[in-house]
Amino acid sequence: MRRVCAEALAQGALEGIASASRPLGLRPGRARHSLIRETYFDTREGALAENALSLCLRLDADGGQILELTRTLSVSLAGVAELGTLSAPVVQGGMYATLQGDSELATAVRDHVDPV
């Protein structure tokens, strides 16, 4: 997944982006709103941030929980960041049980937080 985050400083920039034609024939759908709470985690020493990683626990209004590990792959001279993302549903037992599991996300977090 790639995300592009940029400031829209010029007057009307957001309206221009929203009304522009979509790539690959995609069409805008109806506007949706949902309640999401995101909580970010790191070690006291900042082991994840030191490795350009962020760990987010995302809770939606329906009670669903997903862990998401985002890695900054590159940043262009214009400040556009390319991100890589791993996600895993939170298992019975919560976030810590999920991080003790064998998912790719859990393994990646352990590799940086608790290297052997």
Side-chain angles (χ1 to χ4, degrees):
M1 172 181 10
R2 290 185 181 178
R3 292 183 188 163
V4 176
C5 298
E7 290 185 51
L9 300 177
Q11 186 76 15
L14 289 177
E15 291 81 9
I17 292 169
S19 64
S21 61
R22 305 297 192 272
L24 305 173
L26 298 175
R27 296 183 196 155
R30 297 179 70 202
R32 293 185 304 140
H33 294 86
S34 58
L35 178 64
I36 297 173
R37 184 176 80 190
E38 295 180 333
T39 306
Y40 289 84
F41 295 88
D42 201 344
T43 64
R44 286 189 182 126
E45 299 80 24
L48 295 176
E50 184 177 297
N51 289 286
L53 298 167
S54 65
L55 180 65
C56 174
L57 174 62
R58 181 171 293 137
L59 294 99
D60 63 31
D62 298 330
Q65 298 183 29
I66 293 178
L67 271 176
E68 184 175 272
L69 182 67
T70 303
R71 177 186 315 242
T72 302
L73 301 174
S74 65
V75 179
S76 73
L77 292 176
V80 177
E82 181 178 356
L83 306 175
T85 304
L86 298 172
S87 61
V90 175
V91 300
Q92 183 75 24
M95 181 181 86
Y96 295 108
T98 303
L99 291 173
Q100 292 172 352
D102 59 357
S103 69
E104 188 177 0
L105 178 143
T107 302
V109 169
R110 287 193 304 268
D111 286 347
H112 292 285
V113 171
D114 192 24
V116 183

